[in-house]
Amino acid sequence: MDKVINVQAVVKENSMVSPYFLFFLIHGSQVGISVLNFQSRISKGAGQDAWVSVLAVGLSLNVIFFMMLHIMKYASNGDIISFHTDTFGKWIGGLLNLAMTFTFLVAGLLVSHSFIELLQVWVFNGIPSWEFALLICLLSYYIVSGGFRIVAGISFWGVVIPSFLLLSSLYLFHYREISYLLPIFNHGIKEYFISAKASSTMFFGFETVLVYFPFIKNQSRASKWGHLGLLFTTLVYLVITLVTFMFFTQGKLKILTWPTLTMIKIIAFPFLERFEFIFIFTWLFVILPVICIYLWSAIRTVKLTFPKLKPTYVLFFFICCYFFYSSILEDIYYTKLLIKIVRYNGFILLFGYIPLLFIISLIKVVIKNRKQQSIS
């Protein structure tokens, strides 16, 4: 408990948010563009049983989150940035912080780039990329420059507003075919693992808690909100997976690029025929929190690693990188390159690097306790 108090002293009170915001920050950072196109990827392994892999991966992330909390508990400033410098020294720790910055930046860029591609494919195929990129970059700059409380606020609305759209999936139950889920549990371990590996990319984003956790009040109470956020994300992905698998055959699903939007197309009202347009435009509220959380985390990492650099200049530089990448590099090759980098970095970070840091933190605790015992 003393450690938590020392951590909170580092961050000003007016920059912190209430513990329940951790629910919206974690869920808002995970549910982005992946909701619209993940089903085709995960079905390549276990087929109609891929929902099992989604559930298993989602539940396993609660263990990863527990490891994160332990790592931050024994860092001087309560974040991974100080843990790096405390454990590996100034230079190696600084390089590891830069690696984290790159990971956050590329992940945010992929979300922005993918949403622009979505708009051009489904709505405005004649509008150049730079116009969409300019809009997203200006909004992101305005939100991130306002500080962490503004980022947390947009994360709140990014969860609440689209929740009404997700209720539209209930309409699709009229077209369900439960037999598409059969037979159950007829795949091998290898197939489940392939689907689990593809499913893990859907949950990327909550690793940013390693940076912004010191900005959460009453951290001992906030952990439960973090676990609830992960469970809610798991539930959302599980429901969407089951609805999709009952709507499409596995053969049809393999050739679809945007399965969620393809399902949404059948929803029509007397006063609105193209409901998917409303869905896509509203989804801007979903992807903005993801981009802003990644950007803010990257800037925070740079700020603490290089205190002399002004965060405003760093933010402007990152925004310019986002704008020029999305405006100039429009070829599908660069999109696939981004996807590969993000998947590789995220998978290694969550299931390799964080467990490694957790083991190191346990060793540090054991060594510290032995020293205290020898002194006493």
Side-chain angles (χ1 to χ4, degrees):
M1 189 66 183
D2 294 336
K3 188 68 180 178
V4 174
I5 295 175
N6 292 334
V7 167
Q8 292 191 356
V10 177
V11 181
K12 295 181 179 179
E13 181 73 20
N14 59 1
S15 299
M16 303 174 74
V17 297
S18 299
Y20 67 87
F21 270 98
L22 189 59
F23 173 89
F24 299 99
L25 286 164
I26 286 183
H27 180 66
S29 64
Q30 290 181 305
V31 179
I33 203 72
S34 296
V35 175
L36 308 179
N37 61 5
F38 73 93
Q39 301 96 319
S40 299
R41 297 196 307 270
I42 66 173
S43 65
K44 294 180 180 178
Q48 76 279 2
D49 281 339
W51 63 270
V52 178
S53 299
V54 173
L55 180 60
V57 172
L59 294 178
S60 69
L61 293 182
N62 286 274
V63 179
I64 302 297
F65 182 63
F66 171 79
M67 294 180 181
M68 291 180 178
L69 293 175
H70 189 274
I71 292 169
M72 294 182 290
K73 182 179 180 181
Y74 294 98
S76 57
N77 291 337
D79 54 30
I80 195 172
I81 307 164
S82 57
F83 186 86
H84 280 157
T85 53
D86 294 342
T87 306
F88 302 105
K90 179 180 179 181
W91 295 105
I92 298 179
L95 290 175
L96 292 173
N97 289 337
L98 288 179
M100 294 291 293
T101 301
F102 176 77
T103 300
F104 295 149
L105 276 180
V106 175
L109 177 59
L110 175 61
V111 176
S112 174
H113 200 71
S114 299
F115 187 69
I116 292 173
E117 178 183 325
L118 170 67
L119 289 174
Q120 290 181 318
V121 171
W122 280 83
V123 187
F124 303 113
N125 57 358
I127 297 181
S129 299
W130 71 266
E131 296 187 17
F132 296 121
L134 181 62
L135 173 63
I136 294 176
C137 288
L138 288 177
L139 288 173
S140 301
Y141 181 88
Y142 176 76
I143 294 170
V144 176
S145 62
F148 181 74
R149 290 172 67 92
I150 304 299
V151 175
I154 197 67
S155 298
F156 171 83
W157 291 111
V159 174
V160 172
I161 294 177
S163 297
F164 297 101
L165 291 179
L166 291 177
L167 293 175
S168 61
S169 61
L170 297 176
Y171 180 88
L172 301 175
F173 271 97
H174 294 290
Y175 303 92
R176 68 186 182 278
E177 182 55 60
I178 299 179
S179 62
Y180 290 167
L181 296 175
L182 302 176
I184 301 177
F185 307 129
N186 70 327
H187 292 82
I189 298 298
K190 182 179 180 181
E191 284 78 14
Y192 285 115
F193 178 77
I194 293 174
S195 292
K197 186 177 180 181
S199 302
S200 63
T201 60
M202 300 159 12
F203 295 94
F204 292 166
F206 84 105
E207 66 275 8
T208 51
V209 72
L210 291 166
V211 179
Y212 64 71
F213 197 64
F215 288 78
I216 307 296
K217 298 179 182 178
N218 301 323
Q219 295 173 359
S220 58
R221 293 172 49 196
S223 60
K224 67 178 181 181
W225 291 105
H227 286 290
L228 286 174
L230 290 171
L231 291 174
F232 186 63
T233 302
T234 304
L235 178 63
V236 169
Y237 278 125
L238 181 62
V239 170
I240 295 176
T241 301
L242 290 173
V243 171
T244 305
F245 285 2
M246 288 188 291
F247 193 87
F248 297 113
T249 63
Q250 290 299 308
K252 178 69 173 179
L253 196 59
K254 291 179 181 179
I255 63 174
L256 293 177
T257 306
W258 304 95
T260 303
L261 291 178
T262 304
M263 290 190 298
I264 293 297
K265 282 183 66 175
I266 72 168
I267 300 177
F269 299 99
F271 56 90
L272 180 65
E273 292 186 0
R274 302 301 299 271
F275 177 73
E276 72 273 15
F277 285 1
I278 303 297
F279 193 95
I280 291 172
F281 294 141
T282 309
W283 215 248
L284 178 63
F285 290 100
V286 179
I287 62 105
L288 266 181
V290 184
I291 298 172
C292 293
I293 291 173
Y294 273 127
L295 266 177
W296 186 92
S297 300
I299 294 166
R300 177 72 177 174
T301 306
V302 173
K303 176 184 176 181
L304 295 183
T305 307
F306 305 100
K308 294 184 179 180
L309 290 177
K310 291 186 177 181
T312 305
Y313 297 157
V314 178
L315 172 60
F316 182 77
F317 174 74
F318 288 164
I319 287 293
C320 288
C321 292
Y322 273 33
F323 175 75
F324 286 112
Y325 190 97
S326 298
S327 302
I328 299 174
L329 305 179
E330 301 181 57
D331 193 271
I332 189 65
Y333 167 80
Y334 299 104
T335 303
K336 291 182 178 180
L337 178 62
L338 270 180
I339 293 174
K340 288 182 180 179
I341 294 174
V342 171
R343 286 179 182 175
Y344 179 80
N345 288 347
F347 193 82
I348 294 297
L349 175 63
L350 287 182
F351 300 101
Y353 189 59
I354 289 176
L356 175 63
L357 293 185
F358 175 70
I359 294 173
I360 293 175
S361 67
L362 290 177
I363 295 173
K364 290 178 65 176
V365 172
V366 172
I367 294 175
K368 182 179 179 180
N369 290 337
R370 287 186 176 180
K371 285 184 178 180
Q372 291 178 348
Q373 290 176 359
S374 61
I375 293 174
S376 60

